[in-house]
Amino acid sequence: MASEAVKDFFQRLPVMILVVIFGTGSWVAINGMWVELPLLVALGIPEGYNLASYLVIIIQLANIGPLTFTLANWWAPKGLKIETQTICVVMVVGIASTLLMVFFWDETTVWDIDNSIHSTALLCLTFFLSIVDCTSSVAFTPFMSRFKHMYLTWYFVGEGFSALLPSLVALGQGVGGDICIANYTYNEVREIDNKTYVVNCTAWMQQPKPANFPPEDFFWFLFCMMSCSAMAFVLLNVLPISKREYIRAESVQSIKSSSSGSSAESHGMLERSKDMTGNHGTIDNSGDTPQIKVLNSQEIELIPSPSGLSKLQYAYLFGVLAFVNALSNGILASIQSYSAGAYGLNTYLLAATLANVANPVACFIVMAAPSMSLLLVGVMTFFGTFAGSYCLAIAAMSPTPPLQFEMIGSVLIVLAWICVSGIFSYTKATIGWILRNQPDNRVLLIWFGGVTQLGSLVGAVIMFPLVNIAYLFEGYYEDACADYANHTSCDEVILTLNQPVVYVPVSFN
């Protein structure tokens, strides 16, 4: 038996690898953009620290992608699956957008609305990448429903890699920064104690220190990841070894007979969730981005009054979910650059990348040790809000926060952002787990996705005018030559007039 299990594992291993690679394409582009923000700010992008708030609102606008998919699926003829065609389109758009980003990320134009220079190409391409990633939330999982149940876990592993891999590459890239170098020297005549001296002075200037590799190379990396994901998708559709791992037609037919009003793609989703939860229902997405189950018009209905939890408990869970998403995906995401950037661009890079890594780690913990405790949801929300309040307070005090030039200040803000990302991701995933295990979980999880997007949208709409119109936050820009007053130093007497030449080091105030 053991030998047969090992043989079966190695037979399925190529498909597992393809599923993981396919999953990496789900959110890799936007995760990559988030961790690249510190370097783009360091390179003097026109939006500066405001770029994060632009990115937040762009992602919310990109929900037009999943909305279009939902409506198309709703009105499609019964039995027509459109997720395969949708994935083909979003893959092409994602590959094209990352390729164009390589060559045009730094192209700027003047916007008539404010007569200011903006990174037009970067923002437009980011919008298309956001459409790709948002649409993947509703298209990739239905595609995975055609495979046997075990492959969904490997898909989520790949989705975790879509956050981990760009973060590791960004850490290796660094942010460069500025160094202080001597620009030129000159002589200056000074009167000291009724004596005239000629002193040697040096004018200092900042010079950018490049990162280990430029943004173009990072965007090439994103292009390669999107291309690999697309190739894995093609192979999952055409390889005989992949087709052998599809759910058998008779399994789907048995679901059809028990739920005749469901769409064809719903059947695979229901079969998978039945295996995992013991109930007919939609599989939950336990990450930042909900895997929204798409239903026919006959299946859309209001929340019933389930016997599992009371209406008050459901209101509590959805209220917490909206609050957490408004805070994490809208409000705090818009000011991370001001908060972590106040301690330097290297600190900003660490906060952005490590917080990105904390997200899949927290979701993995929920998968490994899930909890149904409503009290735990409230406790974790409290601690996440506490950490988020610290980040928000530091952003408000920028550009001169406490402990700014102390190591402990950088450590605290990085830990705060890790806690914000990890705790809130754990909270959202736990709420999803609780809802998935309730009666009528299909409808509950649709509401889970809707409330997630609504909370994120509210947070983004609140913060965008505060950051970009009211200018309530001020960014901190490091001065590598701050040790020199007026970027000048005079440290040596080279000539005392009417006396022999002497060279005596002196200090002038």
Side-chain angles (χ1 to χ4, degrees), residues 13-237:
L13 184 60
V15 182
M16 295 177 188
I17 294 174
L18 289 176
V19 169
V20 170
I21 296 174
F22 171 64
T24 60
S26 57
W27 278 88
V28 66
I30 295 305
N31 285 327
M33 288 301 301
W34 273 116
V35 297
E36 190 70 0
L37 287 184
L39 179 58
L40 297 179
V41 172
L43 293 174
I45 200 160
E47 290 75 14
Y49 284 114
N50 293 351
L51 185 59
S53 63
Y54 278 91
L55 192 57
V56 168
I57 203 70
I58 284 173
I59 292 174
Q60 299 309 313
L61 294 175
N63 279 305
I64 187 67
L67 177 61
T68 301
F69 176 83
T70 301
L71 294 176
N73 186 82
W74 193 339
W75 295 107
K78 183 178 179 180
L80 177 63
K81 298 180 179 180
I82 64 171
E83 64 267 19
T84 300
Q85 297 89 332
T86 302
I87 294 174
C88 290
V89 172
V90 298
M91 285 292 186
V92 170
V93 173
I95 291 172
S97 298
T98 50
L99 181 61
L100 292 173
M101 193 80 80
V102 173
F103 302 102
F104 302 108
W105 70 269
D106 56 349
E107 294 295 323
T108 60
T109 61
V110 177
W111 290 8
D112 293 336
I113 191 171
D114 59 358
N115 291 321
S116 299
I117 298 177
H118 289 277
S119 306
T120 305
L122 178 72
L123 297 176
C124 290
L125 292 173
T126 299
F127 173 71
F128 286 109
L129 290 176
S130 299
I131 290 179
V132 170
D133 289 356
C134 290
T135 307
S136 73
S137 298
V138 295
F140 282 23
T141 310
F143 170 75
M144 289 305 303
S145 69
R146 68 179 60 184
F147 287 89
K148 296 175 182 176
H149 313 133
M150 60 172 293
Y151 290 103
L152 183 66
T153 300
W154 291 103
Y155 168 78
F156 285 126
V157 170
E159 196 173 65
F161 276 122
S162 73
L164 177 62
L165 294 180
S167 298
L168 295 178
V169 173
L171 284 174
Q173 182 183 27
V175 294
D178 292 320
I179 57 176
C180 191
I181 63 171
N183 187 16
Y184 58 88
T185 60
Y186 61 93
N187 296 333
E188 184 175 287
V189 178
R190 293 190 178 182
E191 295 285 340
I192 304 176
D193 296 333
N194 296 322
K195 293 184 179 180
T196 303
Y197 297 89
V198 178
V199 296
N200 182 45
C201 297
T202 303
W204 300 87
M205 66 174 292
Q206 291 190 120
Q207 184 178 70
K209 179 184 177 182
N212 294 325
F213 52 87
E216 291 86 347
D217 292 351
F218 185 83
F219 293 133
W220 274 120
F221 163 74
L222 297 183
F223 168 78
C224 291
M225 287 198 67
M226 286 297 303
S227 300
C228 290
S229 179
M231 287 188 289
F233 170 70
V234 172
L235 295 177
L236 288 172
N237 278 281

Side-chain angles (χ1 to χ4, degrees), residues 243-323:
K243 293 182 178 180
R244 284 200 296 268
E245 300 305 310
Y246 288 3
I247 295 176
R248 296 193 305 272
E250 55 267 26
S251 299
V252 177
Q253 184 61 39
S254 67
I255 301 174
K256 287 182 179 180
S257 60
S258 65
S259 180
S260 59
S262 298
S263 66
E265 102 209 47
S266 308
H267 302 323
M269 295 288 291
L270 294 174
E271 173 72 10
R272 183 175 68 247
S273 64
K274 179 181 177 182
D275 179 77
M276 297 182 67
T277 69
N279 298 307
H280 290 282
T282 307
I283 284 302
D284 163 44
N285 145 43
S286 47
D288 262 345
T289 308
Q291 308 298 333
I292 303 172
K293 176 67 191 64
V294 181
L295 305 172
N296 283 343
S297 57
Q298 296 91 339
E299 299 176 280
I300 300 297
E301 56 181 341
L302 296 177
I303 294 181
S305 192
S307 58
L309 297 176
S310 68
K311 290 183 178 180
L312 183 61
Q313 289 172 320
Y314 281 119
Y316 162 74
L317 287 177
F318 283 121
V320 170
L321 182 65
F323 171 77

Side-chain angles (χ1 to χ4, degrees), residues 356-496:
N356 214 30
V357 172
N359 184 326
V361 171
C363 295
F364 174 79
I365 293 174
V366 174
M367 293 177 62
S371 172
M372 297 284 290
S373 172
L374 300 185
L375 177 61
L376 178 63
V377 170
V379 171
M380 298 301 288
T381 301
F382 171 79
F383 283 112
T385 304
F386 179 79
S389 299
Y390 178 77
C391 295
L392 188 60
I394 293 298
M397 289 185 280
S398 178
T400 56
L403 304 173
Q404 184 173 28
F405 301 109
E406 303 292 335
M407 177 64 71
I408 186 63
S410 297
V411 171
L412 286 176
I413 196 63
V414 171
L415 289 177
W417 277 106
I418 292 174
C419 290
V420 165
S421 178
I423 292 175
F424 280 155
S425 296
Y426 181 88
T427 303
K428 288 180 278 188
T430 300
I431 293 174
W433 177 267
I434 293 172
L435 296 176
R436 186 173 71 178
N437 286 278
Q438 301 304 308
D440 298 301
N441 56 10
R442 178 194 311 153
V443 176
L444 291 172
L445 290 173
I446 293 175
W447 279 82
F448 176 91
V451 171
T452 295
Q453 295 299 332
L454 179 62
S456 302
L457 177 61
V458 170
V461 170
I462 290 173
M463 290 306 295
F464 188 82
L466 297 180
V467 173
N468 297 283
I469 299 176
Y471 300 109
L472 294 185
F473 301 92
E474 183 179 351
Y476 166 71
Y477 294 91
E478 296 177 272
D479 185 355
C481 299
D483 292 337
Y484 303 106
N486 299 320
H487 288 197
T488 302
S489 63
C490 299
D491 56 6
E492 186 179 68
V493 175
I494 63 172
L495 179 65
T496 303

